[in-house]
Amino acid sequence: DSPGHLGRLRQQVAAACAQAGLHGDTLVDVRLVSAKTGFGLEGLVSRLQRSWKCAGDVYLLGATNSGKSTLFNALLCSDYCKSRAPDAIDRATVSPWPGTTLNLLKFPVINPTCDRIFRRQERLKEEAAKTEDQISSEEKKHLNHLKKQGYLVGRVGRTFQQQKSSPVVDFDPDVLSYSVDEDPKHSPRKREEREEFTYNELKDARWCYDTPGIVKEDCVVQFILQVLNLLTEKEVKLVLPTHAIIPRTFILKPGAVLFLAALGRVDYLQGEKPAWFSVVASNLLPVHISTLSNADAIYEKHAGQELLKVPMGGEERMKEFPPLVPQDITLKGIGTTEAVADIKLSSAGWVAVTAHAEEKLLLRAYTPRGTALVVREPPLLPYISTIRGSRITGSAAYRTKKPPSLVENLKTTGRK
């Protein structure tokens, strides 16, 4: 949300790991990466090679829809994987639908010998000295496409390439010859043989596994669902962001209500001054502002309709959709530029709340029955309300602006 805060984010993730029981020698490192754009992946590969080398197998673990399969496919095409493996290993299915990874997919991890690590570091130094003008037009087009979707972009390459043997052309003159009384014959195409590993290549191999997603469960009382589990495939595609999220900031006075589609609701019940509410969710999900006196009627009339958009399908769809259940939240403001907490509306997104220093707020947040509502303190992106432009006339929202794009392993040209 602002330059120089990757270190703070690492600390927050490390603190969350420690709270979950991963601390001390158990937690080797924390890496912030994007398997979608490639940001941080080369650093992750280097760290994995220094940490594990070939001492054991590696497993990608996480909740459903957390991006394990996308990361698996990215590592498959990196220096972490044996050079012949991408032609012989099936890629993981990447889908917005939860639970698409049903089996243990795996690829063999390359043995990071001293020579291979040295050659890899030389390649990384050489590539880091390049500018966008020095890369191929195809790669430049790919990077520009990624920069439109994500702000932090990285290039993932391979030091060790599988040598392709020259194809042998079978020439059969009898097939080409024919008389004037007969049509030419077309020889059937030979089926391409799939790459196979030899016994010696696999007998001592270490493997990286992609695992089925873990369904979250409240260990105290009840089974907790994600919002995604309640949605149809068409609705899931609207909820899961496919482009970088641009935060939408609204100034609400006491007595105002914020709807995130029909999947979540935040009521500003009590407070002395207006507060900032920054919505971090798919840009395809609508945000609607109302008053406490009209909120219930709006939800009753428009849930399942175009105004709130998700769920979709009208009254029949809403009959089977769980009702929204409330949870009261009390917060104390830090200042007008720093959020005090995130209200996480299950897997639909979250709302970061920014308030005047020492200002006490009483809020009431709603999520569908059976899903989790979490108040995250400190917030993940504390300065998110500062990513804004001019006010939109007649609206409570700011005209949000994107932070500048960054390609981490390309030399900047100095041009604006």
Side-chain angles (χ1 to χ4, degrees):
D1 61 336
S2 53
H5 284 278
L6 292 179
R8 173 184 53 76
L9 284 174
R10 285 194 189 95
Q11 292 176 1
Q12 285 188 248
V13 175
C17 290
Q19 189 176 4
L22 296 172
H23 49 75
D25 295 335
T26 308
L27 185 64
V28 177
D29 198 2
V30 172
R31 291 276 160 173
L32 303 177
V33 303
S34 171
K36 180 181 176 71
T37 69
F39 177 80
L41 279 180
E42 291 285 23
L44 173 64
V45 170
S46 297
R47 190 65 178 93
L48 284 171
Q49 289 181 337
R50 290 199 306 271
S51 299
W52 278 274
K53 296 193 175 180
C54 274
D57 295 333
V58 176
Y59 294 82
L60 302 180
L61 304 177
T64 55
N65 273 97
S66 59
K68 299 181 300 301
S69 295
T70 307
L71 179 58
F72 177 88
N73 291 340
L75 292 175
L76 176 65
C77 298
S78 74
D79 280 342
Y80 195 56
C81 175
K82 285 181 180 286
S83 58
R84 290 185 62 228
D87 295 327
I89 301 295
D90 291 326
R91 281 170 170 72
T93 301
V94 177
S95 168
W97 198 249
T100 48
T101 302
L102 300 177
N103 301 310
L104 282 177
L105 301 176
K106 63 180 181 179
F107 65 74
V109 176
I110 196 171
N111 185 4
T113 61
C114 294
D115 175 64
R116 286 173 176 162
I117 289 179
F118 174 77
R119 289 164 60 190
R120 170 177 162 76
Q121 293 304 318
E122 290 297 304
R123 176 183 67 82
L124 293 178
K125 288 178 185 177
E126 181 181 336
E127 291 188 350
K130 291 181 179 180
T131 64
E132 286 196 38
D133 296 332
Q134 295 173 300
I135 62 178
S136 66
S137 58
E138 184 179 347
E139 188 175 4
K140 189 185 298 186
K141 182 179 179 181
H142 178 63
L143 281 178
N144 288 334
H145 175 69
L146 286 177
K147 285 196 292 184
K148 291 178 182 178
Q149 302 182 46
Y151 311 131
L152 303 178
V153 180
R155 300 159 65 237
V156 183
R158 289 192 70 97
T159 307
F160 316 102
Q161 298 288 346
Q162 169 68 13
Q163 296 296 324
K164 299 284 186 181
S165 57
S166 300
V168 178
V169 179
D170 293 328
F171 180 73
D172 186 355
D174 293 331
V175 172
L176 298 178
S177 63
Y178 59 94
S179 69
V180 294
D181 298 326
E182 62 180 357
D183 294 328
K185 297 178 180 179
H186 297 283
S187 58
R189 290 186 178 181
K190 291 185 177 180
R191 184 179 179 182
E192 292 186 5
E193 293 186 2
R194 183 186 177 91
E195 287 273 354
E196 297 290 346
F197 289 109
T198 65
Y199 170 77
N200 288 334
E201 286 178 309
L202 298 182
K203 65 174 183 176
D204 297 321
R206 303 300 181 188
W207 299 86
C208 177
Y209 290 90
D210 182 26
T211 63
I214 300 168
V215 178
K216 296 179 182 179
E217 185 175 352
D218 190 315
C219 58
V220 181
V221 183
Q222 60 182 347
F223 183 71
I224 297 296
L225 292 171
Q226 299 182 65
V227 160
L228 296 177
N229 297 87
L230 302 174
L231 304 179
T232 65
E233 185 173 0
K234 191 175 181 180
E235 293 164 352
V236 167
K237 290 180 178 179
L238 295 175
V239 173
L240 288 181
T242 55
H243 290 69
I245 295 171
I246 301 176
R248 290 167 281 176
T249 298
F250 301 82
I251 295 180
L252 301 186
K253 296 179 180 179
V257 174
L258 182 149
F259 283 100
L260 177 58
L263 302 176
R265 167 181 164 179
V266 179
D267 298 355
Y268 185 4
L269 299 179
Q270 293 180 16
E272 296 296 327
K273 300 176 182 178
W276 290 260
F277 292 76
S278 300
V279 178
V280 184
S282 168
N283 298 322
L284 298 178
L285 285 183
V287 175
H288 185 76
I289 306 298
S290 177
T291 61
L292 275 172
S293 57
N294 295 331
D296 291 339
I298 287 176
Y299 184 83
E300 187 72 25
K301 181 179 180 180
H302 294 286
Q305 307 297 334
E306 183 61 26
L307 181 71
L308 298 180
K309 208 162 191 175
V310 179
M312 55 182 67
E315 293 183 7
E316 291 301 317
R317 175 74 175 99
M318 295 310 299
K319 285 179 181 178
E320 61 185 29
F321 195 77
L324 298 182
V325 293
Q327 178 179 320
D328 286 355
I329 301 167
T330 303
L331 299 175
K332 189 175 183 180
I334 299 175
T336 57
T337 60
E338 185 175 354
V340 59
D342 293 333
I343 301 174
K344 189 172 182 296
L345 304 171
S346 187
S347 48
W350 73 83
V351 179
V353 181
T354 305
H356 291 80
E358 303 300 317
E359 176 77 8
K360 291 184 179 179
L361 308 179
L362 175 60
L363 309 176
R364 181 171 292 156
Y366 297 74
T367 53
R369 178 178 293 159
T371 63
L373 189 151
V374 177
V375 179
R376 182 166 50 204
E377 297 181 272
L380 189 62
L381 304 172
Y383 306 107
I384 194 167
S385 66
T386 61
I387 305 177
R388 63 193 186 206
S390 57
R391 289 290 299 276
I392 302 174
T393 305
S395 168
Y398 281 98
R399 190 182 304 279
T400 51
K401 57 185 178 182
K402 289 184 179 181
S405 297
L406 167 69
V407 182
E408 63 163 350
N409 43 2
L410 268 185
K411 185 179 179 181
T412 56
T413 58
R415 293 179 302 182
K416 293 184 180 179

